[in-house]
């Protein structure tokens, strides 16, 4: 019930969002007509369109977004023509004549001048422009639907949000109607008002077409409610988003809130094994590892998992890797199969693209390890890197219980290399940093991030520790930043032995060369696994790239990566 109220309140607040401002002229342009016959159909068209698009977004993902972009173009054309009819009454007469004739044909008893159909069509167009203006509360609803699947609860939340928006717009429409009526009575300037509204509509069309509704207006407006909505969400529904855990954030829990190994249903694919079930695993000791292949923290646990698998599989240990993706490319089965092969993972891996198994475990972290005894009971779990000796002790304890005899040998010695090597935790003073605007922090380019629209960026005069910025033309999206010209670059002032960056190519199968410098010089001996001494490397696939591994004293350094062709995609920096 509380979330329904928040959804409704978020819809009410939407009218104050900066990107709603260009839509309001479309609404006010109908405010001088009877509300029941004009305003109400317009609002109905808006709400129906918005709810449909939002519902499609919960099941259609990127397809729904692309469909809405096409719809926005159609809506802009519609409203451009509508603005012209407000400016020129003769054009309005010619435009309304077919609608009147159509109305007469479908209903002999209808008022031939009824604007119902016209207003409803305009409402549909307004909804197409309005839908992308959602704030954090709608984001919470759609994120929950994306992770949990479409449900009756999601539908109710969407209806509550749409009802809230309709409420505030109804108030604006009714108030606007009274204001315009008073102006007409005092000034007798109906035609003058129509023309002003026509100019307003056309100006709004230009604003939406050029992205000013999401760019300039967002920066200029003093009435943005995104922060207020986010505070409401944080106050009443604390974030429970997936997150990576580093070595410094290790959490150990020996008294699990889960009793038995939950269902493994909902998997997208199984790798190295036929589908497994809790029943088929009964009698085995199971270590469930939640991971994703671009996660540096997950990669650094792999040498231990692989060593334990080889050492204890004949004693009854089964390691199950649950691959739950963070980025879109990690949902591609061919990418995951290649990563599993390249990383030398031979134990069963289940793809959990829909977060079904993740939710069954009530998990929140990468990496996360759950230790299940032979009866199917979860006995221990551990989040993050490190604590390997204790984890192996738990494995041995559960195996000795199951086999009713002690295990020979002792703790496993693991010598990891490359990106899988342990971090130099004493020197890591830079945090994981996302490049997409949804979670970006410490961005220092003077113009700020222009969300979802191309922009030419430059660096500030200097970068402070943990600040970063773009140079050249980029399009920064929610999770991904895409370089649009050759020579575009990213710079970061960091303090750590290792620097990694998750990279990919916008065009599948199109390699992109890049060059890395450290303090404006070739890295030399400080190059990473994926660069040479001169700093050159190549993006061949979507994955984590190790770009710097310092052999010299670790200090604050300025990293720069320049992409020698357009189409490079950057996701997140991690350090070690």
């Amino acid at each position: 019930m509380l979330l329904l109220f928040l959804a409704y309140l978020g819809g009410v607040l939407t009218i104050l969002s900066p990107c709603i401002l260009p839509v309001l002229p479309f609404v006010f342009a109908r405010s001088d007509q009877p509300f029941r016959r004009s305003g109400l159909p317009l609002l109905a068209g808006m709400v129906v369109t918005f709810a449909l698009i939002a519902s499609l977004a919960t099941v259609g993902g990127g397809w729904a977004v692309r469909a809405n972009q096409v719809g926005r173009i159609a809506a802009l054309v519609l409203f451009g023509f509508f603005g012209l009819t407000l400016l020129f009454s003769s054009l309005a007469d010619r435009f309304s004549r077919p609608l009147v004739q159509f109305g007469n044909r479908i209903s002999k008893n209808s008022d031939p001048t009824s604007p119902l159909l016209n207003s409803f069509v305009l409402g549909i167009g307004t909804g197409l422009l309005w839908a992308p203006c959602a704030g954090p509360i709608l984001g919470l609803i759609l994120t929950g639907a994306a992770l949990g699947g479409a449900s009756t609860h999601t539908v109710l939340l969407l209806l509550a949000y749409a009802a809230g928006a309709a409420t505030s717009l109804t108030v604006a429409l009714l108030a606007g109607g009274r204001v315009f009526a008073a102006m007409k009575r005092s000034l007798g300037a109906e035609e003058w008002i129509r023309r002003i509204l026509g100019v307003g509509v056309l100006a709004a069309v230009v604003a939406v077409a050029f992205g000013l509704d999401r760019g300039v207006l967002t920066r200029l407006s003093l009435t943005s409610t995104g922060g207020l909505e986010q505070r409401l969400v944080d106050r009443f529904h604390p974030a429970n988003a997936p997150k990576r855990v580093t070595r410094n954030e290790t959490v150990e829990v020996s008294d699990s809130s889960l009793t038995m190994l939950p269902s493994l249903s909902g998997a997208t694919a199984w790798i190295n094994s036929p589908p497994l079930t809790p029943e088929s695993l009964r009698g085995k000791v199971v270590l469930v590892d939640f991971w994703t292949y671009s996660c540096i923290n997950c990669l650094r646990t792999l040498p231990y998992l692989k060593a334990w698998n080889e050492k204890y599989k004949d004693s009854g240990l089964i390691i199950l890797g649950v691959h739950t993706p963070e980025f879109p490319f990690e949902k591609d089965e061919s990418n995951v199969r290649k990563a599993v092969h390249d990383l030398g993972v031979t134990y069963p891996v289940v793809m959990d693209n829909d977060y079904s198994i993740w939710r069954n475990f009530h998990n929140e972290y990468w990496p996360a390890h759950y230790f299940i005894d032979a009866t199917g009971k979860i006995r221990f779990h551990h989040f993050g890197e490190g604590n390997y000796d204790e984890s192996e002790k738990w494995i041995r304890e559960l195996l000795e219980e199951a086999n009713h005899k002690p295990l020979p040998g002792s703790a496993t010695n693991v010598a990891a290399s490359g990106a899988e090597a342990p971090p130099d935790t004493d020197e890591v003073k830079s945090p994981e940093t996302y490049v997409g605007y949804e979670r970006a922090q410490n961005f220092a380019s003077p113009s700020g991030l222009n969300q979802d629209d191309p922009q030419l960026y430059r660096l500030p005069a200097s970068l402070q520790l943990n600040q970063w910025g773009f140079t050249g033309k980029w399009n920064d999206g929610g999770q991904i930043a895409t370089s649009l010209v050759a020579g575009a670059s990213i710079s970061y002032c960091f303090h750590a032995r290792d620097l990694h960056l998750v990279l990919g190519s916008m065009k599948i199968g199109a390699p992109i060369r890049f060059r890395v410098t450290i303090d404006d010089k070739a890295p030399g001996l400080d190059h990473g696994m994926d660069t040479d001494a001169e700093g050159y490397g190549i993006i061949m696939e979507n994955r984590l790239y190790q770009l710097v591994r310092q052999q010299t004293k670790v200090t604050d350094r300025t990293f720069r990566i320049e992409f020698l062709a357009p189409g490079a995609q950057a996701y997140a920096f991690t350090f070690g």
Side-chain angles (χ1 to χ4, degrees), residues 64-378:
V65 173
R66 289 190 295 272
N68 186 49
Q69 289 171 345
V70 173
R72 281 171 65 88
I73 295 172
L76 288 174
V77 173
L78 171 66
F79 282 112
F81 186 76
F82 177 56
L84 292 175
T85 64
L86 289 171
L87 279 174
F88 305 104
S89 57
S90 59
L91 181 62
D93 292 339
R94 286 195 294 272
F95 174 64
S96 62
R97 199 170 298 134
L99 294 176
V100 172
Q101 294 172 352
F102 177 71
N104 285 329
R105 283 197 298 270
I106 62 175
S107 176
K108 293 181 180 179
N109 297 324
S110 65
D111 182 355
T113 62
S114 173
L116 284 173
L117 181 60
N118 189 21
S119 295
F120 186 77
V121 171
L122 289 173
I124 291 174
T126 305
L128 289 168
L129 301 180
W130 172 49
C133 292
I137 289 178
L138 184 65
L140 172 68
I141 299 171
L142 295 183
T143 299
L147 294 180
S151 65
T152 303
H153 187 239
T154 299
V155 172
L156 290 175
L157 289 173
L158 289 171
L159 288 175
Y161 191 95
T167 299
S168 57
L169 287 168
T170 298
V171 172
L173 194 55
L174 292 174
R178 293 191 180 96
V179 170
F180 290 149
M183 290 178 68
K184 288 179 186 180
R185 286 194 301 269
S186 61
L187 300 177
E190 181 176 355
E191 188 65 24
W192 179 71
I193 293 174
R194 282 173 53 88
R195 290 178 179 176
I196 289 179
L197 288 172
V199 172
V201 169
L202 292 176
V205 167
V206 172
V208 175
F210 286 93
L212 298 178
D213 56 324
R214 290 170 291 175
V216 175
L217 287 174
T218 300
R219 290 191 287 271
L220 294 180
S221 176
L222 300 178
T223 57
S224 175
T225 62
L228 175 59
E229 286 189 47
Q230 190 61 60
R231 286 193 293 273
L232 286 169
V233 171
D234 294 340
R235 172 67 179 84
F236 295 106
H237 192 84
N240 194 30
K243 41 190 169 288
R244 303 186 192 184
V245 185
T246 69
R247 185 184 181 92
N248 294 327
E249 297 169 327
T250 296
V251 180
E252 303 167 28
V253 181
S254 58
D255 182 17
S256 175
S257 59
L258 290 169
T259 304
M260 303 297 289
L261 174 63
S263 171
L264 302 176
S265 62
T268 308
W270 285 82
I271 303 172
N272 296 337
S273 169
L276 301 174
T277 65
E279 292 73 26
S280 67
L281 292 170
R282 198 63 54 87
K284 300 288 186 178
V285 172
V286 181
L287 195 172
V288 174
D289 167 43
F290 283 92
W291 72 301
T292 188
Y293 79 83
S294 75
C295 167
I296 185 61
N297 312 106
C298 303
L299 294 178
R300 290 196 287 242
T301 67
L302 282 182
Y304 297 89
L305 293 168
K306 291 186 289 186
W308 295 335
N309 181 61
E310 290 301 316
K311 185 174 182 178
Y312 298 114
K313 63 182 180 181
D314 292 337
S315 299
L317 174 69
I318 291 183
I319 296 179
L320 173 59
V322 180
H323 188 276
T324 311
E326 180 174 19
F327 299 119
F329 65 82
E330 293 171 314
K331 295 182 178 182
D332 187 288
E333 184 176 343
S334 62
N335 288 345
V336 179
R337 287 187 178 275
K338 185 177 188 305
V340 167
H341 176 269
D342 293 347
L343 293 168
V345 175
T346 58
Y347 49 79
V349 173
V350 54
M351 291 183 61
D352 185 33
N353 283 0
D354 298 324
Y355 281 63
S356 298
I357 302 174
W358 179 285
R359 291 193 307 275
N360 292 343
F361 275 81
H362 308 298
N363 187 48
E364 297 181 32
Y365 304 102
W366 297 285
H369 298 144
Y370 293 80
F371 299 79
I372 296 100
D373 66 19
T375 68
K377 183 178 180 180
I378 297 177

Side-chain angles (χ1 to χ4, degrees), residues 419-434:
E420 297 178 359
D424 184 354
T425 54
D426 293 336
E427 292 290 354
V428 178
K429 299 179 182 178
S430 292
E432 179 178 35
T433 302
Y434 288 87

Side-chain angles (χ1 to χ4, degrees), residues 386-404:
N387 204 49
Y388 300 115
D389 289 344
E390 186 74 9
S391 294
E392 186 170 8
K393 177 184 174 183
W394 292 337
I395 293 172
R396 293 174 64 87
E397 177 183 330
L398 297 180
L399 286 173
E400 288 175 347
E401 268 185 25
N403 297 326
H404 305 291

Side-chain angles (χ1 to χ4, degrees), residues 40 107 135 197 218 273 359 383 474 498 531 575:
L40 191 60
S107 176
L197 288 172
T218 300
S273 169
R359 291 193 307 275
F383 305 134
W474 288 83
D498 304 338
T531 54
F575 302 91

